[in-house]
């Protein structure tokens, strides 16, 4: 059974979706720990409710990014992680940290990358007049919200959408996308080789949800 460590900074709804997937007997992994850089994150409270080991690691208690990254890596390794899963983790991670978990660290971002990395994705998509929005699961590389893509889901932008309504539609799609994409990686059906994606033929890695 592979061990996941999930990193959260906020609400934790993607954590919830992955935890639900883990209840399936055929799911090939278990959540070894949930770690948050924000001690008050709702995602951490959710982890406790679900009976998962929950670790608060306040980034403000560390003198700099490198010190925080080292403490984070220590906590991840103490949990015996095979995979690091970023689920709304809103801290930039330094290059040594990213290299340490290369090929076994995933992130979800609420846009069709490479469009709109960073913050305020939905507002920027609406401002740009996009007719499609969506979400991407990708392997983490040192560049923020960048890296080889495991899977994407596209959703329509509807007339009258505002940031909140678009974010809500994308989030529903995220909750289906992340467990599926993660599972493909756990099973070795999608993996990283020489900095690029190798995927089993026939996987529906791109989907449109109306
Ligand atoms: C999700 O929409 C996720 O895609 C996004 O934060 C939200 C977390 O929600 N992540 C990023 O923007 C990463 N750049 P959640 O805490 O309810 O899972």
């Amino acid at each position: 059974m592979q061990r996941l460590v999930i990193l959260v900074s906020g609400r934790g709804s993607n954590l919830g979706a992955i935890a639900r997937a883990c209840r399936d007997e055929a799911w090939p992994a278990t959540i070894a720990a949930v770690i948050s850089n924000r001690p008050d994150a709702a995602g951490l409270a959710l982890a406790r409710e679900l009976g998962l080991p929950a670790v608060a690691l306040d980034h403000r208690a560390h003198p700099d990014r490198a010190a925080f990254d080292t403490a984070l890596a220590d906590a991840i390794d103490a949990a015996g992680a095979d995979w690091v899963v970023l689920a709304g983790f809103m801290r930039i991670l330094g290059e040594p940290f990213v290299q340490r978990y290369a090929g076994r660290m995933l992130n979800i971002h609420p846009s069709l990358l490479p469009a709109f990395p960073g913050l305020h994705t939905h507002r920027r998509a609406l401002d740009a007049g996009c007719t499609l929005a969506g979400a991407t699961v990708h392997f983490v590389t040192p560049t923020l919200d960048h890296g080889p893509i495991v899977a994407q889901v596209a959703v329509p932008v509807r007339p009258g959408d505002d940031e909140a309504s678009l974010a809500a539609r994308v989030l529903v799609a995220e909750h289906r996308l992340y467990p599926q994409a993660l599972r493909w990686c756990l099973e070795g059906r999608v993996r990283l080789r020489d900095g690029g994606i190798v995927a089993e033929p026939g996987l529906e890695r791109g989907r449109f949800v109306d």
Side-chain angles (χ1 to χ4, degrees), residues 82-149:
D82 298 301
W83 287 84
V84 179
V85 180
L86 310 188
F89 187 70
M90 305 308 270
R91 288 288 299 170
I92 292 174
L93 297 162
E95 188 155 354
F97 181 95
V98 172
Q99 295 304 356
R100 184 183 184 102
Y101 301 106
R104 53 193 187 105
M105 179 156 62
L106 297 176
N107 180 42
I108 188 163
H109 183 73
S111 78
L112 293 171
L113 290 174
F116 311 121
L119 299 174
H120 310 302
T121 48
H122 303 300
R123 188 195 311 161
R124 287 154 62 211
L126 289 168
D127 288 349
C130 292
T131 56
L132 289 174
T136 303
V137 174
H138 63 95
F139 281 98
V140 176
T141 59
T143 309
L144 179 73
D145 297 330
H146 192 88
I149 290 171

Side-chain angles (χ1 to χ4, degrees), residues 121-200:
T121 48
H122 303 300
R123 188 195 311 161
R124 287 154 62 211
L126 289 168
D127 288 349
C130 292
T131 56
L132 289 174
T136 303
V137 174
H138 63 95
F139 281 98
V140 176
T141 59
T143 309
L144 179 73
D145 297 330
H146 192 88
I149 290 171
V150 177
Q152 290 183 303
V153 61
V155 303
V157 177
R158 297 203 191 283
D161 260 343
D162 58 15
E163 227 178 310
S165 62
L166 183 56
R169 188 173 313 119
V170 171
L171 192 66
V172 171
E174 287 185 50
H175 294 163
R176 296 189 59 178
L177 178 72
Y178 212 175
Q180 175 69 87
L182 173 58
R183 184 168 187 160
W184 285 337
C185 293
L186 293 168
E187 293 174 342
R189 301 171 79 187
V190 179
R191 60 201 157 80
L192 203 57
R193 194 171 64 202
D194 300 331
I197 286 286
V198 182
E200 185 182 295

Side-chain angles (χ1 to χ4, degrees), residues 23-94:
R23 287 194 201 127
D24 178 347
E25 266 180 35
W27 181 261
T30 180
I31 299 176
V34 176
I35 304 175
S36 180
N37 63 308
R38 295 200 169 274
D40 59 349
L44 212 50
L46 174 65
R48 290 191 195 101
E49 269 170 42
L50 294 171
L52 300 169
V55 180
L57 199 65
D58 193 338
H59 62 273
R60 292 163 300 191
H62 295 82
D64 53 30
R65 189 178 302 285
F68 174 72
D69 282 3
T70 300
L72 184 57
D74 287 348
I76 290 169
D77 295 349
D82 298 301
W83 287 84
V84 179
V85 180
L86 310 188
F89 187 70
M90 305 308 270
R91 288 288 299 170
I92 292 174
L93 297 162

